[in-house]
């Protein structure tokens, strides 16, 4: 099956597919925050309802965090 050292070397250098946002990722946090704010304000302006606007903002923020984690 091959040399186990070769497999270990490959796994050691493997970059994880998903990563958590760290304290130094201020640009990613800014993007997520702006997407949350713009989407929540847009829904609030269109509907005049606070809770659905907040729910849509949280949903957009969660999707943005997922996209940033993949990048």
């Amino acid at each position: 099956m091959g040399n186990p050292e070769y497999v270990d070397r490959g796994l050691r250098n493997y970059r994880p597919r998903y990563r958590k946002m760290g304290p130094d990722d201020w640009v990613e946090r800014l993007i997520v925050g702006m997407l949350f704010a713009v989407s929540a304000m847009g829904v609030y302006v269109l509907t005049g309802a606070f809770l659905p606007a907040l729910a849509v903002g949280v949903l957009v923020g969660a999707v943005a965090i997922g996209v940033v984690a993949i990048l």
Side-chain angles (χ1 to χ4, degrees):
M1 287 278 260
N3 189 355
E5 294 173 4
Y6 177 74
V7 175
D8 288 341
R9 191 175 338 131
L11 290 175
R12 220 175 310 139
N13 296 330
Y14 180 71
R15 183 176 166 235
R17 184 169 180 168
Y18 303 106
R19 67 178 184 87
K20 289 185 175 179
M21 285 196 297
D24 295 333
D25 296 335
W26 64 272
V27 174
E28 288 89 350
R29 292 183 190 276
L30 180 68
I31 292 169
V32 170
M34 288 181 68
L35 283 170
F36 167 78
V38 168
S39 62
M41 287 302 293
V43 172
Y44 181 72
V45 166
L46 290 174
T47 63
F50 179 72
L51 285 179
L54 187 64
V56 169
V58 168
L59 180 65
V60 170
V63 170
I65 289 173
V67 170
V68 167
I70 292 173
L71 296 176

